[in-house]
Coordinates of all heavy atoms in Angstrom, one line a residue:
M1 N 18.1 45.8 23.2 CA 19.6 45.5 23.5 C 19.9 44.1 22.9 O 19.2 43.2 23.0 CB 19.9 45.4 25.0 CG 20.1 46.8 25.6 SD 21.4 47.8 24.9 CE 22.8 47.3 25.9
T2 N 21.1 44.1 22.2 CA 21.6 42.8 21.7 C 22.7 42.4 22.7 O 23.2 43.2 23.5 CB 22.1 42.9 20.3 OG1 23.3 43.8 20.3 CG2 21.1 43.5 19.4
T3 N 23.2 41.2 22.5 CA 24.3 40.7 23.3 C 25.6 40.9 22.6 O 26.6 40.4 23.1 CB 24.1 39.2 23.7 OG1 23.8 38.5 22.5 CG2 22.9 39.0 24.6
S4 N 25.6 41.5 21.5 CA 26.8 41.7 20.7 C 27.8 42.6 21.5 O 27.4 43.5 22.2 CB 26.6 42.4 19.4 OG 27.7 42.8 18.8
S5 N 29.1 42.2 21.4 CA 30.1 43.0 22.1 C 30.5 44.2 21.3 O 31.3 45.0 21.7 CB 31.3 42.1 22.5 OG 31.9 41.7 21.3
N6 N 30.1 44.3 20.1 CA 30.4 45.4 19.2 C 29.7 46.7 19.7 O 28.7 46.6 20.3 CB 30.1 45.1 17.8 CG 31.1 44.1 17.2 OD1 32.2 44.0 17.6 ND2 30.6 43.3 16.3
C7 N 30.3 47.8 19.2 CA 29.7 49.0 19.5 C 28.4 49.2 18.7 O 28.4 49.0 17.5 CB 30.7 50.1 19.1 SG 30.7 51.5 20.2
E8 N 27.3 49.4 19.4 CA 26.1 49.5 18.7 C 25.2 50.7 19.2 O 25.6 51.4 20.1 CB 25.3 48.2 18.8 CG 25.8 47.2 17.8 CD 25.0 45.9 17.9 OE1 23.8 46.0 18.3 OE2 25.5 44.9 17.5
G9 N 24.1 50.9 18.6 CA 23.2 52.0 18.9 C 23.5 53.2 18.1 O 24.6 53.3 17.6
P10 N 22.5 54.1 18.0 CA 22.7 55.3 17.1 C 23.9 56.2 17.5 O 24.5 56.7 16.7 CB 21.3 56.0 17.3 CG 20.7 55.3 18.4 CD 21.2 54.0 18.6
D11 N 24.1 56.3 18.8 CA 25.2 57.2 19.3 C 26.5 56.6 18.9 O 27.4 57.4 18.4 CB 25.2 57.3 20.8 CG 24.1 58.2 21.3 OD1 23.4 58.9 20.4 OD2 23.8 58.3 22.5
C12 N 26.7 55.3 19.1 CA 28.0 54.7 18.7 C 28.2 54.7 17.2 O 29.3 55.0 16.7 CB 28.0 53.2 19.1 SG 28.2 53.0 20.9
E13 N 27.1 54.5 16.5 CA 27.2 54.5 15.0 C 27.6 55.8 14.5 O 28.5 56.0 13.7 CB 25.8 54.2 14.4 CG 25.8 53.0 13.5 CD 24.3 52.6 13.2 OE1 23.7 53.4 12.5 OE2 23.9 51.5 13.6
K14 N 27.0 56.8 15.1 CA 27.3 58.2 14.7 C 28.8 58.6 15.0 O 29.5 59.2 14.3 CB 26.4 59.2 15.4 CG 26.4 60.5 14.7 CD 25.3 61.4 15.4 CE 25.6 62.9 15.0 NZ 24.9 63.8 15.9
A15 N 29.2 58.2 16.3 CA 30.5 58.5 16.7 C 31.6 57.8 15.8 O 32.6 58.4 15.4 CB 30.7 58.1 18.2
L16 N 31.3 56.5 15.5 CA 32.3 55.8 14.7 C 32.3 56.3 13.3 O 33.4 56.3 12.7 CB 32.0 54.3 14.8 CG 32.2 53.7 16.2 CD1 31.7 52.2 16.2 CD2 33.6 53.7 16.6
E17 N 31.2 56.7 12.8 CA 31.0 57.2 11.5 C 31.9 58.4 11.3 O 32.5 58.6 10.3 CB 29.6 57.5 11.2 CG 29.1 57.2 9.8 CD 27.6 57.4 9.7 OE1 27.1 58.6 9.6 OE2 26.9 56.4 9.9
N18 N 31.9 59.2 12.3 CA 32.6 60.5 12.2 C 34.0 60.5 12.9 O 34.6 61.5 13.0 CB 31.8 61.6 12.9 CG 30.5 61.9 12.1 OD1 30.5 62.1 10.9 ND2 29.4 61.8 12.8
L19 N 34.4 59.3 13.3 CA 35.7 59.1 14.0 C 36.9 59.7 13.2 O 37.7 60.5 13.8 CB 35.9 57.7 14.3 CG 36.8 57.4 15.5 CD1 36.2 58.0 16.7 CD2 36.8 55.9 15.7
Y20 N 36.9 59.4 11.9 CA 38.1 59.9 11.1 C 38.1 61.4 11.0 O 39.1 62.0 11.1 CB 38.0 59.2 9.7 CG 38.4 57.7 9.8 CD1 37.4 56.8 9.8 CD2 39.8 57.4 9.8 CE1 37.8 55.4 9.8 CE2 40.1 56.0 9.9 CZ 39.1 55.1 9.9 OH 39.4 53.7 9.9
L21 N 36.9 61.9 10.8 CA 36.7 63.4 10.6 C 37.1 64.0 11.9 O 37.8 65.0 12.0 CB 35.3 63.7 10.3 CG 34.8 63.3 8.9 CD1 33.3 63.6 8.7 CD2 35.6 63.9 7.8
F22 N 36.7 63.4 13.0 CA 37.0 63.9 14.4 C 38.5 63.9 14.6 O 39.0 64.9 15.1 CB 36.2 63.0 15.4 CG 36.4 63.5 16.8 CD1 36.0 64.7 17.2 CD2 37.1 62.7 17.7 CE1 36.2 65.1 18.5 CE2 37.3 63.1 19.0 CZ 36.8 64.3 19.4
I23 N 39.1 62.8 14.3 CA 40.6 62.7 14.5 C 41.3 63.8 13.7 O 42.3 64.4 14.1 CB 41.1 61.3 14.2 CG1 40.5 60.4 15.3 CG2 42.6 61.3 14.2 CD1 40.7 58.9 15.0
D24 N 40.8 64.0 12.5 CA 41.4 64.9 11.5 C 41.0 66.4 11.8 O 41.5 67.3 11.1 CB 41.1 64.5 10.1 CG 41.8 63.3 9.6 OD1 42.9 63.0 10.2 OD2 41.4 62.7 8.7
H25 N 40.2 66.5 12.8 CA 39.6 67.9 13.1 C 38.9 68.5 11.8 O 39.0 69.7 11.6 CB 40.7 68.8 13.5 CG 41.5 68.3 14.7 ND1 40.9 68.2 16.0 CD2 42.7 67.8 14.8 CE1 41.8 67.7 16.8 NE2 42.9 67.4 16.1
E26 N 38.3 67.6 11.1 CA 37.6 68.1 9.9 C 36.1 68.0 10.1 O 35.3 67.8 9.2 CB 38.0 67.1 8.7 CG 39.3 67.5 8.1 CD 39.7 66.5 7.1 OE1 38.9 65.6 6.7 OE2 40.9 66.5 6.7
I27 N 35.7 68.3 11.3 CA 34.3 68.2 11.7 C 33.9 69.5 12.4 O 34.7 70.1 13.1 CB 34.0 66.9 12.5 CG1 32.5 66.6 12.5 CG2 34.5 67.1 13.9 CD1 32.3 65.1 12.9
D28 N 32.7 69.9 12.2 CA 32.3 71.2 12.9 C 32.3 71.0 14.4 O 32.1 69.9 14.9 CB 30.9 71.7 12.4 CG 29.8 70.6 12.6 OD1 29.2 70.7 13.7 OD2 29.6 69.8 11.7
T29 N 32.4 72.1 15.1 CA 32.6 72.1 16.5 C 31.4 71.4 17.3 O 31.7 70.7 18.2 CB 32.7 73.6 17.0 OG1 33.5 74.3 16.1 CG2 33.3 73.6 18.4
A30 N 30.2 71.6 16.8 CA 29.1 71.0 17.5 C 29.1 69.5 17.5 O 29.0 68.9 18.5 CB 27.8 71.5 16.9
S31 N 29.4 68.9 16.3 CA 29.4 67.5 16.2 C 30.7 67.0 16.9 O 30.6 65.9 17.5 CB 29.6 67.1 14.7 OG 28.6 67.7 13.9
S32 N 31.7 67.7 16.8 CA 33.0 67.3 17.5 C 32.7 67.2 19.0 O 33.2 66.2 19.7 CB 34.0 68.4 17.2 OG 35.1 68.2 18.1
A33 N 32.0 68.2 19.6 CA 31.7 68.1 21.0 C 30.8 66.9 21.4 O 31.0 66.3 22.4 CB 31.0 69.4 21.5
E34 N 29.9 66.6 20.5 CA 29.0 65.5 20.7 C 29.8 64.2 20.7 O 29.6 63.3 21.6 CB 28.0 65.4 19.5 CG 26.6 65.4 19.9 CD 25.7 65.5 18.7 OE1 25.4 64.5 18.1 OE2 25.3 66.6 18.4
I35 N 30.7 64.0 19.8 CA 31.5 62.8 19.7 C 32.4 62.7 20.9 O 32.5 61.7 21.5 CB 32.3 62.8 18.4 CG1 31.4 62.7 17.2 CG2 33.3 61.6 18.4 CD1 32.0 63.0 15.9
Q36 N 33.0 63.8 21.3 CA 33.9 63.8 22.4 C 33.2 63.4 23.7 O 33.7 62.5 24.4 CB 34.5 65.2 22.6 CG 35.4 65.3 23.8 CD 36.7 64.5 23.6 OE1 37.5 64.8 22.7 NE2 36.9 63.5 24.4
S37 N 32.0 63.9 23.9 CA 31.2 63.5 25.1 C 30.8 62.0 25.0 O 30.7 61.3 26.0 CB 30.0 64.4 25.3 OG 29.1 64.2 24.4
H38 N 30.5 61.5 23.8 CA 30.2 60.1 23.7 C 31.4 59.2 24.0 O 31.3 58.3 24.7 CB 29.7 59.8 22.3 CG 29.3 58.3 22.1 ND1 28.2 57.8 22.6 CD2 30.1 57.3 21.6 CE1 28.2 56.5 22.3 NE2 29.3 56.2 21.7
I39 N 32.5 59.6 23.4 CA 33.8 58.8 23.6 C 34.1 58.8 25.1 O 34.6 57.8 25.7 CB 34.9 59.4 22.8 CG1 34.7 59.1 21.3 CG2 36.3 58.9 23.3 CD1 35.7 59.8 20.4
D40 N 33.9 59.9 25.8 CA 34.1 60.0 27.3 C 33.3 59.0 28.0 O 33.8 58.5 29.1 CB 33.8 61.4 27.8 CG 34.9 62.4 27.4 OD1 36.0 62.0 26.9 OD2 34.6 63.6 27.5
E41 N 32.2 58.6 27.5 CA 31.3 57.7 28.3 C 31.3 56.3 27.8 O 30.8 55.4 28.4 CB 29.8 58.3 28.2 CG 29.6 59.5 29.0 CD 28.3 60.2 28.7 OE1 27.5 59.6 28.0 OE2 28.1 61.4 29.1
C42 N 31.7 56.1 26.5 CA 31.6 54.8 25.9 C 33.0 54.2 25.7 O 33.8 54.7 24.9 CB 30.9 55.0 24.5 SG 30.7 53.4 23.7
T43 N 33.3 53.1 26.4 CA 34.6 52.5 26.4 C 34.9 51.9 25.0 O 36.0 52.0 24.5 CB 34.7 51.4 27.4 OG1 34.0 51.8 28.6 CG2 36.1 51.0 27.7
S44 N 33.9 51.3 24.4 CA 34.1 50.7 23.1 C 34.5 51.8 22.0 O 35.5 51.6 21.3 CB 32.8 50.1 22.6 OG 32.3 49.3 23.6
C45 N 33.9 52.9 22.1 CA 34.2 53.9 21.1 C 35.6 54.6 21.5 O 36.3 55.0 20.6 CB 33.1 55.0 21.1 SG 31.7 54.4 20.2
L46 N 35.8 54.7 22.8 CA 37.1 55.2 23.2 C 38.3 54.3 22.7 O 39.3 54.8 22.2 CB 37.1 55.3 24.7 CG 38.5 55.8 25.3 CD1 38.8 57.2 24.9 CD2 38.4 55.7 26.8
T47 N 38.1 53.0 22.8 CA 39.1 52.1 22.4 C 39.3 52.3 20.9 O 40.5 52.3 20.4 CB 38.7 50.6 22.7 OG1 38.3 50.5 24.0 CG2 39.8 49.6 22.3
E48 N 38.2 52.3 20.2 CA 38.3 52.5 18.7 C 39.0 53.8 18.4 O 39.9 53.9 17.5 CB 36.9 52.6 18.2 CG 36.7 52.1 16.7 CD 37.0 50.6 16.6 OE1 36.7 49.9 17.5 OE2 37.6 50.3 15.6
Y49 N 38.7 54.8 19.1 CA 39.3 56.2 18.9 C 40.8 56.1 19.1 O 41.6 56.7 18.4 CB 38.6 57.2 19.8 CG 39.2 58.5 19.9 CD1 39.2 59.4 18.8 CD2 39.7 59.0 21.1 CE1 39.8 60.6 18.8 CE2 40.3 60.2 21.2 CZ 40.4 61.0 20.0 OH 41.0 62.3 20.1
D50 N 41.2 55.5 20.3 CA 42.6 55.5 20.6 C 43.4 54.7 19.5 O 44.4 55.1 19.1 CB 42.8 54.8 22.0 CG 42.5 55.7 23.1 OD1 42.5 56.9 22.9 OD2 42.3 55.2 24.2
L51 N 42.8 53.6 19.1 CA 43.5 52.8 18.1 C 43.7 53.6 16.8 O 44.8 53.6 16.2 CB 42.7 51.5 17.8 CG 42.9 50.4 18.8 CD1 41.9 49.3 18.6 CD2 44.3 49.8 18.6
E52 N 42.6 54.2 16.4 CA 42.7 55.0 15.1 C 43.8 56.1 15.3 O 44.5 56.4 14.3 CB 41.3 55.7 14.8 CG 40.3 54.7 14.4 CD 40.7 53.8 13.2 OE1 41.5 54.3 12.4 OE2 40.1 52.8 13.0
R53 N 43.8 56.7 16.4 CA 44.8 57.8 16.7 C 46.2 57.3 16.6 O 47.1 57.9 16.1 CB 44.5 58.5 18.0 CG 44.1 59.9 17.9 CD 43.9 60.6 19.2 NE 44.2 59.7 20.3 CZ 44.2 60.1 21.6 NH1 44.0 61.4 21.8 NH2 44.5 59.3 22.5
V54 N 46.4 56.1 17.2 CA 47.7 55.5 17.2 C 48.2 55.1 15.8 O 49.3 55.5 15.4 CB 47.7 54.2 18.1 CG1 49.0 53.4 17.9 CG2 47.6 54.6 19.6
V55 N 47.2 54.5 15.1 CA 47.5 54.2 13.7 C 47.9 55.4 12.9 O 48.9 55.4 12.2 CB 46.3 53.5 13.0 CG1 46.6 53.3 11.6 CG2 46.0 52.1 13.7
K56 N 47.1 56.4 13.1 CA 47.3 57.6 12.3 C 48.7 58.3 12.7 O 49.4 58.7 11.7 CB 46.2 58.6 12.7 CG 45.9 59.5 11.5 CD 44.7 60.4 11.8 CE 44.9 61.7 11.0 NZ 45.2 61.5 9.6
S57 N 49.0 58.4 13.9 CA 50.2 59.0 14.3 C 51.5 58.2 13.8 O 52.4 58.7 13.4 CB 50.3 59.2 15.8 OG 50.4 58.0 16.5
L58 N 51.3 56.9 13.9 CA 52.4 56.0 13.5 C 52.6 56.1 12.0 O 53.7 56.2 11.5 CB 52.1 54.5 13.8 CG 52.3 54.2 15.3 CD1 51.9 52.7 15.5 CD2 53.8 54.3 15.7
V59 N 51.5 56.1 11.2 CA 51.6 56.1 9.8 C 52.1 57.5 9.3 O 53.0 57.5 8.5 CB 50.2 55.9 9.2 CG1 50.2 56.2 7.7 CG2 49.8 54.4 9.4
S60 N 51.6 58.5 9.9 CA 52.1 59.9 9.5 C 53.6 60.1 9.9 O 54.3 60.7 9.2 CB 51.2 61.0 10.1 OG 51.4 61.1 11.5
R61 N 54.0 59.5 11.0 CA 55.4 59.6 11.4 C 56.3 58.8 10.4 O 57.3 59.3 10.0 CB 55.6 59.0 12.8 CG 56.9 59.6 13.4 CD 57.2 58.8 14.7 NE 56.1 58.7 15.6 CZ 56.0 57.9 16.6 NH1 57.0 57.0 16.8 NH2 55.0 57.8 17.4
S62 N 55.9 57.6 10.1 CA 56.7 56.8 9.2 C 56.7 57.4 7.8 O 57.6 57.3 7.0 CB 56.3 55.4 9.2 OG 54.9 55.2 8.9
C63 N 55.6 58.1 7.5 CA 55.5 58.8 6.2 C 56.5 59.9 6.1 O 57.2 60.0 5.1 CB 54.1 59.4 5.9 SG 52.9 58.2 5.2
S64 N 56.6 60.7 7.1 CA 57.5 61.9 7.1 C 58.9 61.4 7.2 O 59.8 62.1 6.7 CB 57.2 62.8 8.3 OG 57.4 62.1 9.5
E65 N 59.2 60.2 7.7 CA 60.5 59.7 7.7 C 60.8 58.9 6.5 O 61.9 58.3 6.4 CB 60.7 58.8 9.0 CG 60.9 59.6 10.2 CD 60.9 58.8 11.5 OE1 60.9 57.5 11.3 OE2 60.8 59.3 12.6
V66 N 59.9 58.9 5.6 CA 60.0 58.1 4.3 C 60.4 56.6 4.7 O 61.4 56.1 4.1 CB 61.0 58.7 3.3 CG1 60.7 58.1 1.9 CG2 60.8 60.2 3.3
A67 N 59.6 56.1 5.6 CA 59.9 54.7 6.0 C 59.5 53.8 4.8 O 58.6 54.1 4.1 CB 59.1 54.3 7.2
P68 N 60.3 52.7 4.6 CA 59.9 51.7 3.6 C 58.6 51.1 3.9 O 58.2 50.9 5.0 CB 61.1 50.7 3.7 CG 61.6 50.8 5.0 CD 61.4 52.3 5.4
D69 N 57.9 50.8 2.8 CA 56.5 50.3 3.0 C 56.4 49.0 3.9 O 55.5 48.9 4.6 CB 55.9 50.0 1.6 CG 55.3 51.2 1.0 OD1 55.1 52.2 1.8 OD2 55.0 51.2 -0.1
P70 N 57.4 48.1 3.8 CA 57.3 46.9 4.6 C 57.2 47.2 6.1 O 56.5 46.6 6.8 CB 58.6 46.1 4.3 CG 59.0 46.6 3.0 CD 58.5 48.0 2.8
L71 N 57.9 48.3 6.5 CA 57.9 48.7 7.9 C 56.5 49.2 8.3 O 55.9 48.8 9.3 CB 58.9 49.8 8.2 CG 58.9 50.4 9.6 CD1 59.2 49.3 10.6 CD2 59.8 51.6 9.7
R72 N 55.9 50.0 7.4 CA 54.6 50.5 7.7 C 53.6 49.4 7.8 O 52.7 49.4 8.6 CB 54.2 51.5 6.5 CG 53.4 52.6 7.1 CD 53.4 53.8 6.1 NE 52.4 53.6 5.1 CZ 52.5 54.2 3.9 NH1 53.4 55.0 3.6 NH2 51.5 54.1 3.1
E73 N 53.7 48.4 6.9 CA 52.8 47.3 6.9 C 53.0 46.5 8.2 O 52.0 46.0 8.7 CB 53.1 46.4 5.7 CG 52.2 46.7 4.5 CD 52.7 46.1 3.2 OE1 53.1 44.9 3.3 OE2 52.6 46.8 2.2
K74 N 54.2 46.4 8.6 CA 54.4 45.6 9.9 C 53.8 46.4 11.0 O 53.1 45.7 11.9 CB 56.0 45.6 10.1 CG 56.4 44.2 10.5 CD 57.9 44.2 10.8 CE 58.8 43.7 9.7 NZ 60.2 43.8 10.0
V75 N 53.9 47.7 11.1 CA 53.3 48.5 12.1 C 51.7 48.3 12.1 O 51.1 48.0 13.1 CB 53.6 50.0 11.9 CG1 52.8 50.8 12.9 CG2 55.1 50.2 12.2
L76 N 51.2 48.4 10.9 CA 49.7 48.2 10.7 C 49.3 46.8 11.2 O 48.2 46.6 11.8 CB 49.3 48.5 9.3 CG 49.3 50.0 8.9 CD1 49.1 50.2 7.4 CD2 48.3 50.8 9.7
M77 N 50.1 45.8 10.8 CA 49.8 44.5 11.2 C 49.8 44.3 12.7 O 48.9 43.7 13.2 CB 50.8 43.5 10.5 CG 50.4 42.1 10.6 SD 49.9 41.6 8.9 CE 51.4 40.9 8.3
R78 N 50.8 44.9 13.3 CA 50.9 44.8 14.8 C 49.7 45.4 15.4 O 49.1 44.9 16.4 CB 52.2 45.5 15.2 CG 52.3 45.7 16.7 CD 52.9 44.4 17.3 NE 52.8 44.4 18.8 CZ 52.0 43.7 19.5 NH1 51.3 42.8 18.9 NH2 52.0 43.8 20.8
I79 N 49.3 46.6 14.9 CA 48.1 47.2 15.5 C 46.9 46.4 15.3 O 46.0 46.3 16.2 CB 47.9 48.6 14.8 CG1 49.1 49.5 15.3 CG2 46.6 49.2 15.1 CD1 49.3 50.8 14.4
R80 N 46.7 45.8 14.1 CA 45.6 44.9 13.8 C 45.5 43.8 14.9 O 44.5 43.4 15.3 CB 45.6 44.4 12.4 CG 44.5 45.0 11.6 CD 44.6 44.5 10.2 NE 44.9 45.7 9.3 CZ 45.7 45.6 8.3 NH1 46.4 44.5 8.0 NH2 46.0 46.7 7.6
T81 N 46.7 43.2 15.2 CA 46.8 42.1 16.1 C 46.3 42.6 17.5 O 45.5 42.0 18.2 CB 48.2 41.6 16.3 OG1 48.8 41.4 15.0 CG2 48.3 40.3 17.1
V82 N 46.7 43.8 17.9 CA 46.3 44.4 19.2 C 44.8 44.6 19.2 O 44.1 44.2 20.1 CB 47.0 45.7 19.4 CG1 46.4 46.4 20.6 CG2 48.5 45.5 19.6
Q83 N 44.3 45.0 18.0 CA 42.9 45.3 17.9 C 42.1 44.0 18.1 O 41.1 44.0 18.8 CB 42.6 45.9 16.6 CG 41.2 46.6 16.5 CD 41.1 47.6 15.4 OE1 41.9 47.5 14.4 NE2 40.1 48.4 15.4
V84 N 42.6 42.9 17.5 CA 41.9 41.6 17.6 C 41.9 41.2 19.1 O 40.9 40.7 19.6 CB 42.6 40.6 16.7 CG1 42.1 39.2 17.1 CG2 42.3 40.9 15.3
Q85 N 43.0 41.4 19.7 CA 43.1 41.0 21.1 C 42.1 41.8 22.0 O 41.4 41.2 22.8 CB 44.5 41.3 21.7 CG 45.5 40.2 21.3 CD 47.0 40.6 21.5 OE1 47.3 41.7 21.9 NE2 47.9 39.7 21.1
I86 N 42.0 43.0 21.7 CA 41.1 43.8 22.5 C 39.7 43.4 22.2 O 38.8 43.3 23.1 CB 41.2 45.3 22.1 CG1 42.6 45.8 22.7 CG2 40.1 46.2 22.6 CD1 42.9 47.2 22.2
T87 N 39.4 43.1 20.9 CA 38.0 42.6 20.6 C 37.7 41.3 21.3 O 36.6 41.1 21.8 CB 37.9 42.4 19.1 OG1 38.4 43.5 18.4 CG2 36.5 42.1 18.7
E88 N 38.7 40.4 21.4 CA 38.5 39.1 22.0 C 38.3 39.3 23.5 O 37.5 38.7 24.1 CB 39.7 38.2 21.8 CG 39.6 37.6 20.4 CD 40.9 36.8 20.0 OE1 41.9 36.9 20.8 OE2 41.0 36.2 19.0
Q89 N 39.0 40.2 24.1 CA 38.9 40.5 25.6 C 37.5 41.0 25.8 O 36.9 40.7 26.9 CB 39.9 41.5 26.0 CG 41.3 40.9 26.3 CD 42.3 41.9 26.5 OE1 42.0 43.1 26.7 NE2 43.6 41.5 26.4
R90 N 37.0 41.8 24.9 CA 35.7 42.4 25.1 C 34.6 41.4 25.0 O 33.5 41.5 25.6 CB 35.5 43.5 24.0 CG 34.9 44.8 24.5 CD 34.5 45.6 23.4 NE 35.6 46.4 22.7 CZ 35.6 46.8 21.5 NH1 34.6 46.5 20.7 NH2 36.6 47.5 21.0
A91 N 34.8 40.4 24.1 CA 33.7 39.4 23.9 C 33.5 38.5 25.1 O 34.2 38.4 26.0 CB 34.1 38.5 22.7
Ligands
ZN101 ZN1 30.0 54.1 21.6

C-alpha cells in the first residue's frame, strides 16, 4: 500500500482505463459489470466516473446546441476546477 491519495491498484487501473468505454457503453457486458461493481465499492473511481459523465453530458449538450467554443471551454474549465478541489479534499 502507498500513501498516495490517487486511485491505485490493478482494479482501479483497469476501471479507469475502461472508464470512457464504459460511459460510452462500448464495452462488453462482462467487463462492464466488473467496472460497475468496482465503482460501487471504490469512492475514488466513482468520483472519476461521475466527473467524466458530467463532462460528457455537458459537452454533448452544448454540441447539439451548437454552443460557441468559448462557452464549452468555460464549462470544461469549471469542471477542471471542481476536479482539483475534489483531489485536494481527498489528499
Ligand atoms: Zn478504484
Side-chain angles (χ1 to χ4, degrees):
M1 277 304 269
T2 68
T3 51
S4 170
S5 61
N6 287 328
C7 219
E8 280 182 24
D11 283 353
C12 288
E13 238 171 68
K14 196 177 167 196
L16 293 173
E17 218 171 81
N18 293 309
L19 206 55
Y20 288 97
L21 295 174
F22 179 64
I23 291 167
D24 287 338
H25 304 290
E26 281 172 8
I27 199 161
D28 59 88
T29 319
S31 310
S32 166
E34 232 173 85
I35 293 167
Q36 180 66 65
S37 70
H38 178 79
I39 286 172
D40 285 345
E41 290 167 12
C42 179
T43 320
S44 314
C45 286
L46 176 64
T47 308
E48 207 68 34
Y49 170 66
D50 280 343
L51 278 169
E52 292 301 338
R53 243 182 6 172
V54 169
V55 173
K56 212 179 149 48
S57 69
L58 284 176
V59 169
S60 69
R61 200 192 310 162
S62 51
C63 274
S64 62
E65 281 170 11
V66 198
D69 275 345
L71 174 64
R72 218 162 82 200
E73 265 164 42
K74 227 184 258 176
V75 169
L76 287 172
M77 194 102 95
R78 174 82 191 112
I79 288 164
R80 245 175 250 139
T81 312
V82 170
Q83 195 160 18
V84 167
Q85 280 166 359
I86 289 171
T87 311
E88 279 170 358
Q89 277 167 17
R90 226 194 275 156

